[in-house]
Amino acid sequence: QVQLVESGGGLVQPGGSLRLSCAASGSIFSIYAMGWYRQAPGKQRELFATITSGSSTYYKDSVKGRFTVSRDNAKNTVFLQMNSLKPEDTAVYYCNADLKVVAAKPQTYWGQGTQVTVSS
């Protein structure tokens, strides 16, 4: 039984900042990596950032220099700091996790998503 919950979404003006979090709960043995995806209206869901258990990070060019991912391994939580937000950042933001559950094989889990709207 694993659950991922995103939080921190909302309405922000262009140039503003927002901090999202994704907390994983359940009988987790180990989290190998966590990723951030977003899906804008009429577009496909896209991966834009990842962080491994060793805190190695990846960022898509569109968010480099503006978004930063970090994690708290003790709390099984990943954070996304978003700065200099643009209207094109408007989307539903999802987190996922590649993890190992106690007494089960590793697999990927998804959160339900949190809406981020950047508008004046």
Side-chain angles (χ1 to χ4, degrees), residues 20-59:
L20 307 184
S21 64
C22 175
S25 62
S27 301
I28 300 171
F29 177 77
S30 180
I31 298 178
Y32 305 113
M34 299 186 77
W36 282 101
Y37 292 73
R38 64 185 183 181
Q39 186 168 23
K43 297 184 178 180
Q44 294 184 319
R45 187 174 299 184
E46 64 172 1
L47 171 69
F48 65 87
T50 61
I51 185 167
T52 68
S53 60
S55 296
S56 295
T57 57
Y58 155 82
Y59 300 98

Side-chain angles (χ1 to χ4, degrees), residues 26-108:
S27 301
I28 300 171
F29 177 77
S30 180
I31 298 178
Y32 305 113
M34 299 186 77
W36 282 101
Y37 292 73
R38 64 185 183 181
Q39 186 168 23
K43 297 184 178 180
Q44 294 184 319
R45 187 174 299 184
E46 64 172 1
L47 171 69
F48 65 87
T50 61
I51 185 167
T52 68
S53 60
S55 296
S56 295
T57 57
Y58 155 82
Y59 300 98
K60 191 173 182 179
D61 288 343
S62 60
V63 306
K64 283 183 178 178
R66 299 189 298 121
F67 293 7
T68 302
V69 291
S70 60
R71 65 187 298 169
D72 184 338
N73 291 331
K75 296 183 178 181
N76 290 328
T77 301
V78 64
F79 303 95
L80 174 65
Q81 179 65 47
M82 303 186 291
N83 298 323
S84 301
L85 285 163
K86 305 174 181 179
E88 51 263 43
D89 293 320
T90 296
V92 177
Y93 284 68
Y94 301 87
C95 70
N96 77 349
D98 295 325
L99 57 80
K100 173 71 168 65
V101 178
V102 175
K105 294 181 178 180
Q107 63 182 90
T108 301

